[in-house]
Amino acid sequence: MRFNSTIYVAFLALVLIVLWLLPERLRRAWLLTASVLFYGSWHYPYVVLLLGTAACAHFGGKWIMGAEAAVRRRRGSLVLGALVALLGVFKYLDWVIENANVLAGWLGAKQSLALPGWVLPLGISFYVFQAMSYVIDVVRRRETTYSFWDFSLYIAYFPQLIAGPIMRAKELLPQLRRPLTTRAGDLSAGVWLLVSGLFLKTVVADGIAPNVDRAFARSATAFGTLDVWLMAVAFGLQVYFDFSSYTRIALGSARLCGIRLVDNFDHPYVASSPVDFWNRWHVSLSRWIRDYLFYPLLGGRTSRAALVRAALLSMTICGAWHGAGWTFVAWGAYHGLLIAGFHLFGSPRRPKQRLAAGRVRHGAAVLLTFALVSLGWLLFRSQTINQALVLIGRALNPVWLGQRALGGTFYLHTAALVVAVWSSPWLSARLPRFHDSLVNRPLAAPLARVSIGAVVGVMVALCTVYMSGQRTFIYFQF
Amino acid sequence: MRDDLESSAAELDVSGDHGAGVFQRVVIACLTPVVALLVLILAEVGARSLVATEMPARSISTDTVTELPKSADKLPLTLESDAVLLIGNSHTYALPGLAPGDCMRKEEGRTLAYELARRLDCGRGSDKVDVIRLSYPNFNAVEILIRVAQLLRVGMKPRSVVLGLTWRNIARDASVRHSVRLALRDPEFTEWLVDWLKERRRSTVADAIASEVQATRHEREQERTRSHADDWDVALSAALGDNIALIGQSPALRAAIYRELAYLIERTLVPTGKAAQTYDTIEEELRTNLDALTLVLELLAEHGISGVVYRAPRRPDLPPLGDPVRGIVELGKLEDTARGFGFTTVDCTDLVPPELWGWERHTPDRSHFTEPGHVLLAEAIVEAGIGARVLCGARP
C-alpha cells in the first residue's frame, strides 16, 4: 500500500496499537505478520518471492558460515548468483527480451520472442540488495546467523521494505531483537517525520509533478535552452522531494515502533562535488555501491586508472539498478564519469585558500555540482535516449536561448523550491538551537509548543486534502 | 510509572528547569497535539462552510439541450444527429456571481445552449432544433480535436457546429485532461486518429497526440498493477469522506486553495495594468492549438459539416489577458481558414457590455457573463448562421 494513502495511516495506527498492547515476546511476530500483510496487500502471490528471498539469504548464510575461506567465497558466489537471478528474472527479463527482439529484427529475423509481461514485484531491488549485503558480510566474516523469523523480519520490515533505506543486518537486527519500546521522544519524532514526509509528498512533490510530466511528454524539439534547464532542475526537485518524503515516512513509521533507520538524504543539493553528492543522496544505496562494488572493483589499487574504472563500472550498475532501460544505464554511467572526472581533475589536496575566496570557491563548486547533477536528471527522466540527447543538446547550445515553451508560473514555482532547498541546511542547523534557547524561558516553551502544534495541524489538514489526488512514489518503480 | 513519566518528560526537554513538576511538564508537552487537533477541527469547519458556498452541480438536459458526458469513455447509447453541436469552454455554460463576494451560480436553462435552442427552428416552427453541448473548463484545441474525431467516428453527424474560440486558451495550453484522454483507450479509434494525422502532416498535433497515447498506455499499466490496498483505500476514503469534509470534498477544496492562491498572487504581485503578463503566449502550445483547430475544421468539412465559428466575448472594462494584438492576427488567420471550409465567422469579442459581466467572489470575472450576455451571443450566432444558411445544414 502507498505511504500517501488513508489506508496506510489506518494500517500504521492499527499496527502500533496492537504492538503497544502485546506482551514483548509477541511483538516481533506481530511486526512480521504486519509486514507480510503490508506486502501482500499489493499482490499476495509475491509474498512467496519476498519470503523466498529471505530464506535464500538466511539459509545461504548458514551454509557459507560453516565453510573454510576459499569454499566460503564459492558458496557466497552461488547464493549471490541466486539472488541476482531472482532480481534479473523479475525485473530485467522483459527488457532483455525486448532488446533481443530489436537486435534480431536488425539481423533480419521475422519472429520475435513473447514478453512474459510480469508485474514488477514491488521493492524487489531494495530487499534483494539488502539480502545480498548480508550474504557478502557473512562471506567477509562480518556477520553472524540469526533465527529465520528474525531474519525474515529484517528483510520484510514494512517501513523500509518497498523503497529502503537499505539497512545492514548489524544495523537493524539488533534493534529488532531487543525489547521494542516506544518512548516519548520516539513518539514526537516519529509523528513529526510522518507528518512532514506526507506534506512533502502530497503538497510539494505532487505539486510540481504535473508540470514536469507534461513537459517530458512533449517533443524535445519544442523547448529552448532555459526550458530544458527548468525541466532538469524541476525534475531533480520532484524526485528529491518525492524520495526524501518517502524516507521520512519510513523513518517516522519505524521510529514509532522504537526503531531507528538510516536517513537517506543529507541536503544533497548543497553538495560541492559529485562524490559529495553521492555521500548525501540515497545514502544507503551509495554506501552499498561503495562497500560492495566500488571497493572490491578497486581491489586495493590506488592508481587513477583503477579509480576511474571502478567508478565507471559501479555507477553504471547503480544506474541499471534504478530501472530496466538504457536511459538509467546512461544516467549511471554519466555519474560514473563525473566521479571519475572528480578523481582525475578535482582538488582534494590543494592548499587552503583565504576564507572569502574559500566561500566563493565553495559556492561555485555547489552551483557547478548542482548544474551537472541536474543535467544528469534529463537522462534519468527522458523516455528514450534520443529524447535525452536532444534535450541535453538544447541545454548546452545557446542558439536555443530565444525559444521558450514553458510558462512563467512553472519557472516561479521551481525557483521557489530551489530557494527552499538551498536554505534548508541553514534552517536545519539553526532551528534546533533556536528551539533549545526557547525551552529555558518560562513563557516561551509553551508558546513554542503551541506554534509547533499549529504548524502540524495545518500540515495534517493540507495532507488530508491533497492525499486523495495521490501519485505513486517515483522510487516505487525500482 | 512515575519514573517513566519523569524520564520521558526529561527526554522531551520541555523545560530547562528540571525542578518543575511532572504535571506541568506533561501539560506543556500535551500542548502540541491538543493545538494540532484544534487546528484540524477548525480546518474541518472551514472546509464545510467553504464547500457549502461552492457552485452546486449544474443541472443539464431538457428536451432540446443535451450535454455530452465529460468522460470520453461514456458516450450516450444514441447520439442525436439532427442537432447543432455547440463546442466551447466554460463561457458557454458558467454563470458568474452578480455582486462582489458572490460565487458562481447554478445554470437553469438560460445559458448559450438553451438560448440557441430557443432561436433555432430551421423551418420546423414550434418543433425546435436540438442543441448538444460539448464543453469543459478551458477546453483547448487538442482536446476539441480528440472529442470531435471520436464523435464523428462513432457515427454522430450534427447538422452544424457552433465553435467558440477563446484566445487565452489557444495561446498557452495544449495539454489533454484525463477525462478526454479516455477516448484514446479505444485502440481502433486511436490507430485511425494517428494515421489520419500522419496523412495531414501536422507534426505539432501528431506529437501532442503521440504523447497522450503514451500517457494512456502508462495509465493502463498503472491500472493493471492496481493493488488490493488501492481498492481498500478507495473504500475507506469514501466511508470517511461521508463524514469528513477534508476528505470527502478534497477535490473542491484543492480547487479552492489553488484559486485563492492564484488570486493572491494576481492581486499582490501583478498590478491590474499588467495582468496580461500572467497569460503570456507559449509559442509551441499556440502552434499546436492553431494546427489542431485547423484540423477540426478540416475533419468537419470532410464529413460535410459546417457552421459558425465565433470569437468568444471578452470583458471590455479590464485589460485583456495575453497579447490582444497577436490574438487578433492569429484568430483572423484561423477565421480565413474556417471560411475556406464553408464556415461562417462572427467576431463577438466586444459584444457583451461591461454591466453584463459578473464576479467570482471578490474578483471581477473575466471569463463569464450573465444571462443577458448569453442572449446577446446566441442572437449574434443565429443571425450570422441563419443568414449564411450554415446553422441548419442541408436538412429541413
Side-chain angles (χ1 to χ4, degrees):
Chain A
M1 58 186 77
R2 287 178 247 248
F3 276 2
N4 55 326
S5 63
T6 315
I7 193 71
Y8 178 73
V9 174
F11 166 81
L12 181 65
L14 177 66
V15 168
L16 291 171
I17 290 168
V18 173
L19 184 75
W20 294 332
L21 290 173
L22 281 176
E24 174 56 39
R25 70 178 191 285
L26 293 175
R27 288 183 179 181
R28 285 202 299 281
W30 169 241
L31 278 184
L32 179 60
T33 307
S35 300
V36 167
L37 282 171
F38 175 82
Y39 197 68
S41 72
W42 166 69
H43 193 60
Y44 63 84
Y46 282 161
V47 169
V48 174
L49 182 64
L50 174 67
L51 294 176
T53 303
C56 179
H58 169 75
F59 293 109
K62 284 194 159 180
W63 185 48
I64 296 164
M65 197 88 60
E68 296 301 317
V71 178
R72 285 170 82 92
R73 285 184 174 278
R74 272 202 301 275
R75 290 184 180 182
S77 301
L78 281 171
V79 176
L80 287 174
L83 290 169
V84 169
L86 261 174
L87 185 60
V89 163
F90 283 96
K91 185 167 177 177
Y92 297 101
L93 188 58
D94 267 17
W95 182 57
V96 166
I97 294 175
E98 255 175 40
N99 283 281
N101 286 339
V102 168
L103 189 62
W106 286 346
L107 296 172
K110 294 279 186 287
Q111 287 186 325
S112 56
L113 295 167
L115 301 176
W118 294 330
V119 173
L120 176 67
L122 215 54
I124 189 169
S125 305
F126 290 89
Y127 61 75
V128 166
F129 260 38
Q130 188 151 305
M132 287 172 69
S133 74
Y134 171 75
V135 172
I136 295 171
D137 284 343
V138 167
V139 171
R140 292 175 177 176
R141 297 184 191 274
R142 289 175 190 169
E143 265 302 342
T144 180
T145 53
Y146 305 91
S147 78
F148 174 66
W149 300 114
D150 284 348
F151 188 82
S152 297
L153 180 55
Y154 158 65
I155 295 292
Y157 183 47
F158 72 89
Q160 48 95 64
L161 171 60
I162 303 300
I166 302 171
M167 299 290 289
R168 306 286 167 95
K170 62 177 177 256
E171 289 170 334
L172 185 54
L173 268 159
Q175 295 190 72
L176 291 172
R177 295 176 79 201
R178 68 166 183 253
L180 292 166
T181 49
T182 308
R183 302 175 68 82
D186 293 327
L187 199 59
S188 56
V191 168
W192 170 246
L193 284 164
L194 202 60
V195 169
S196 58
L198 279 171
F199 179 80
L200 285 176
K201 167 59 180 166
T202 56
V203 178
V204 180
D206 288 353
I208 197 151
N211 281 333
V212 172
D213 290 347
R214 261 203 300 273
F216 277 94
R218 291 164 58 186
S219 168
T221 53
F223 303 109
T225 302
L226 291 177
D227 290 329
V228 178
W229 278 106
L230 172 66
M231 288 161 66
V233 169
F235 177 70
L237 292 168
Q238 181 200 349
V239 73
Y240 170 57
F241 284 117
D242 198 277
F243 196 14
S244 64
S245 65
Y246 165 85
T247 301
R248 290 181 83 85
I249 298 170
L251 262 59
S253 303
R255 192 71 186 269
L256 288 168
C257 302
I259 304 287
R260 293 195 187 218
L261 301 178
V262 162
D263 193 351
N264 258 339
F265 294 92
D266 181 18
H267 308 292
Y269 288 133
V270 296
S272 55
S273 71
V275 170
D276 189 25
F277 175 76
W278 282 98
N279 285 334
R280 296 166 176 269
W281 178 275
H282 201 172
V283 170
S284 64
L285 175 69
S286 61
R287 62 179 194 170
W288 196 104
I289 297 290
R290 181 195 64 204
D291 294 342
Y292 302 121
L293 276 179
F294 181 75
Y295 285 144
L297 285 169
L298 205 52
R301 294 182 287 270
T302 55
S303 68
R304 288 188 166 192
L307 268 170
V308 167
R309 199 167 45 239
L312 270 174
L313 203 50
S314 53
M315 291 310 293
T316 304
I317 293 172
C318 174
W321 175 90
H322 279 78
W326 291 113
T327 52
F328 297 112
V329 173
W331 172 78
Y334 171 76
H335 273 274
L337 279 171
L338 288 183
I339 291 170
F342 175 76
H343 284 299
L344 287 175
F345 306 113
S347 57
R349 295 196 191 87
R350 283 198 189 155
K352 286 179 188 167
Q353 308 286 329
R354 286 181 301 129
L355 189 62
R359 277 203 185 129
V360 168
R361 205 164 133 253
H362 178 78
V366 167
L367 274 175
L368 179 63
T369 306
F370 185 73
L372 289 171
V373 166
S374 297
L375 210 57
W377 288 127
L378 292 173
L379 282 164
F380 191 95
R381 179 58 177 83
S382 293
Q383 287 159 23
T384 62
I385 290 281
N386 187 51
Q387 181 188 23
L389 290 175
V390 172
L391 286 172
I392 290 171
R394 293 212 164 203
L396 299 176
N397 190 345
V399 78
W400 300 106
L401 270 169
Q403 184 168 327
R404 200 178 132 222
L406 296 172
T409 45
F410 190 8
Y411 278 88
L412 276 174
H413 189 176
T414 306
L417 291 178
V418 169
V419 168
V421 151
W422 278 347
S423 56
S424 63
W426 181 84
L427 280 171
S428 300
R430 275 159 185 75
L431 274 175
R433 278 185 246 159
F434 178 65
H435 176 263
D436 289 344
S437 73
L438 285 180
V439 298
N440 290 319
R441 301 179 198 173
L443 282 177
L447 277 175
R449 293 277 162 185
V450 166
S451 310
I452 293 168
V455 167
V456 169
V458 167
M459 285 168 81
V460 171
L462 285 172
C463 289
T464 312
V465 169
Y466 281 91
M467 209 144 69
S468 69
Q470 59 181 282
R471 289 169 164 257
T472 321
F473 285 94
I474 293 173
Y475 265 72
F476 269 33
Q477 64 186 302
F478 308 138
Chain B
M1 171 76 166
R2 189 181 167 82
D3 288 344
D4 283 344
L5 277 174
E6 282 188 344
S7 64
S8 294
E11 192 179 45
L12 287 169
D13 196 22
V14 296
S15 166
D17 178 10
H18 291 290
V22 168
F23 179 74
Q24 185 183 355
R25 279 184 269 155
V26 169
V27 164
I28 292 173
C30 288
L31 273 175
T32 302
V34 166
V35 169
L37 192 58
L38 281 171
V39 167
L40 260 179
I41 292 170
L42 276 171
E44 172 65 14
V45 168
R48 284 173 190 243
S49 66
L50 182 72
V51 169
T53 60
E54 288 289 314
M55 180 175 69
R58 293 177 283 121
S59 65
I60 303 142
S61 279
T62 63
D63 286 343
T64 51
V65 174
T66 307
E67 173 140 17
L68 283 173
K70 294 273 187 287
S71 204
D73 60 347
K74 287 181 173 53
L75 285 172
L77 290 173
T78 56
L79 278 168
E80 176 56 63
S81 279
D82 192 26
V84 172
L85 178 62
L86 169 64
I87 304 172
N89 66 16
S90 56
H91 80 268
T92 60
Y93 61 80
L95 291 173
L98 296 171
D102 287 352
C103 304
M104 304 290 287
R105 289 177 294 125
K106 184 177 164 179
E107 132 177 82
E108 288 175 2
R110 295 174 61 197
T111 55
L112 180 62
Y114 297 91
E115 298 299 340
L116 280 175
R118 285 188 185 98
R119 286 159 179 77
L120 280 174
D121 62 12
C122 294
R124 287 160 59 169
S126 60
D127 187 14
K128 297 295 181 189
V129 170
D130 291 341
V131 173
I132 295 177
R133 186 172 68 204
L134 176 63
S135 60
Y136 294 82
N138 295 315
F139 200 9
N140 70 52
V142 178
E143 293 176 318
I144 292 173
L145 175 63
I146 292 173
R147 288 302 321 257
V148 167
Q150 180 198 35
L151 292 171
L152 292 173
R153 191 84 183 139
V154 299
M156 181 187 184
K157 192 176 174 187
R159 59 166 70 226
S160 63
V161 164
V162 175
L163 173 61
L165 304 178
T166 307
W167 170 240
R168 64 180 167 77
N169 290 145
I170 294 170
R172 52 185 282 112
D173 185 18
S175 54
V176 176
R177 72 199 77 199
H178 171 73
S179 51
V180 172
R181 200 184 308 124
L182 289 171
L184 299 176
R185 291 198 177 200
D186 179 346
E188 199 188 282
F189 167 67
T190 304
E191 194 183 333
W192 170 84
L193 182 61
V194 167
D195 288 342
W196 187 80
L197 288 171
K198 267 191 210 154
E199 290 167 16
R200 295 314 176 276
R201 296 176 188 275
R202 298 268 182 179
S203 62
T204 52
V205 182
D207 283 348
I209 296 293
S211 15
E212 298 303 333
V213 171
Q214 178 84 357
T216 303
R217 275 195 210 118
H218 179 68
E219 279 170 9
R220 296 199 88 145
E221 181 58 24
Q222 284 201 305
E223 282 168 16
R224 189 173 79 95
T225 56
R226 188 177 172 82
S227 69
H228 310 300
D230 291 328
D231 296 332
W232 301 338
D233 186 51
V234 167
L236 179 62
S237 298
L240 291 172
D242 288 341
N243 298 300
I244 303 175
L246 287 172
I247 296 176
Q249 301 296 330
S250 55
L253 289 168
R254 285 198 298 273
I257 291 170
Y258 177 79
R259 203 171 44 234
E260 294 303 321
L261 268 177
Y263 289 158
L264 182 68
I265 290 170
E266 195 175 327
R267 281 197 294 269
T268 59
L269 298 180
V270 182
T272 311
K274 295 180 188 171
Q277 291 173 3
T278 62
Y279 276 83
D280 45 341
T281 303
I282 300 175
E283 289 302 323
E284 189 61 27
E285 307 282 77
L286 170 64
R287 271 199 296 278
T288 305
N289 281 325
L290 291 173
D291 285 347
L293 282 169
T294 303
L295 287 169
V296 167
L297 297 167
E298 188 176 332
L299 184 59
L300 288 167
E302 279 178 11
H303 284 76
I305 301 166
S306 67
V308 176
V309 172
Y310 69 93
R311 293 194 207 185
R314 190 183 72 206
R315 184 162 184 147
D317 58 337
L318 290 176
L321 293 173
D323 180 352
V325 173
R326 185 79 188 274
I328 291 167
V329 169
E330 297 295 350
L331 291 182
K333 288 183 201 168
L334 201 54
E335 285 165 345
D336 289 340
T337 306
R339 284 190 286 272
F341 283 119
F343 284 80
T344 289
T345 63
V346 56
D347 183 358
C348 302
T349 308
D350 299 317
L351 182 70
V352 180
E355 62 272 17
L356 296 185
W357 293 78
W359 292 84
E360 190 168 0
R361 296 184 186 272
H362 296 284
T363 305
D365 193 331
R366 292 170 175 276
S367 309
H368 310 115
F369 34 86
T370 56
E371 289 87 331
H374 286 264
V375 170
L376 287 176
L377 183 56
E379 284 172 352
I381 291 168
V382 169
E383 187 183 330
I386 294 293
R389 298 174 187 270
V390 291
L391 267 181
C392 290
R395 282 161 279 185

